[in-house]
Amino acid sequence: GITKLWSVESIGDSSDECSKTFEGHRGSVDSLAKIDDSRFVSGSSDKTAKIWDVRTGSCLHTFTGHTDSVGAVAYIPDERKLLTGSGDNSIKIWEVDEAIISGEGDESEEWGDKHDNRVAVPTSVIPV
């Protein structure tokens, strides 16, 4: 799945061009939420959520653990928590430290493919 960033200032202009493309999900992108002015999170039918850097277009982190599509994502900045809701009838609550959302961190942590920086484990799973 692909997410595209558009400038609302160009709406109606003849230059209605996409300003950034974010590629990395292996399924449709079903949900988006803003983290701050430079990052957002997406949920996908590929059963993952990803944190993206708006400036570079790169994936900073991939959250795995759902067994069905992630149709809802929300970020709680005061608590640095990401909530993901899935068709697997669960809501997962993830601790999101600054190293994860900045794409930095200890390289001795587990690393995944080119879109994954560190492995995160949900702190809570709420069956629904």
Side-chain angles (χ1 to χ4, degrees):
I2 296 173
T3 304
K4 293 187 177 270
L5 178 67
W6 302 85
S7 171
V8 294
E9 294 169 358
S10 69
I11 293 176
D13 290 351
S14 59
S15 66
D16 281 343
E17 292 186 26
C18 168
S19 60
K20 187 81 63 183
T21 299
F22 304 85
E23 297 184 57
H25 280 295
R26 294 185 177 113
S28 63
V29 176
D30 300 329
S31 53
L32 298 170
K34 178 180 175 179
I35 292 176
D36 56 30
D37 287 342
S38 64
R39 294 169 288 206
F40 71 94
V41 61
S42 60
S44 172
S45 64
D46 67 5
K47 306 173 190 173
T48 68
K50 292 181 180 284
I51 293 179
W52 301 91
D53 185 309
V54 172
R55 295 170 302 223
T56 66
S58 63
C59 177
L60 300 175
H61 190 77
T62 299
F63 297 87
T64 60
H66 282 291
T67 58
D68 203 343
S69 62
V70 178
V73 292
Y75 182 69
I76 305 170
D78 294 343
E79 297 183 29
R80 289 190 166 157
K81 293 191 190 293
L82 171 66
L83 283 70
T84 55
S86 171
D88 64 10
N89 297 322
S90 72
I91 298 168
K92 294 186 185 289
I93 303 170
W94 310 82
E95 292 284 337
V96 180
D97 66 22
E98 187 58 33
I100 288 175
I101 61 174
S102 69
E104 300 171 358
D106 183 354
E107 293 191 32
S108 66
E109 297 283 340
E110 286 187 54
W111 292 79
D113 67 29
K114 68 177 184 172
H115 298 294
D116 300 344
N117 285 348
R118 294 185 6 167
V119 174
V121 178
T123 57
S124 302
V125 177
I126 304 167
V128 290

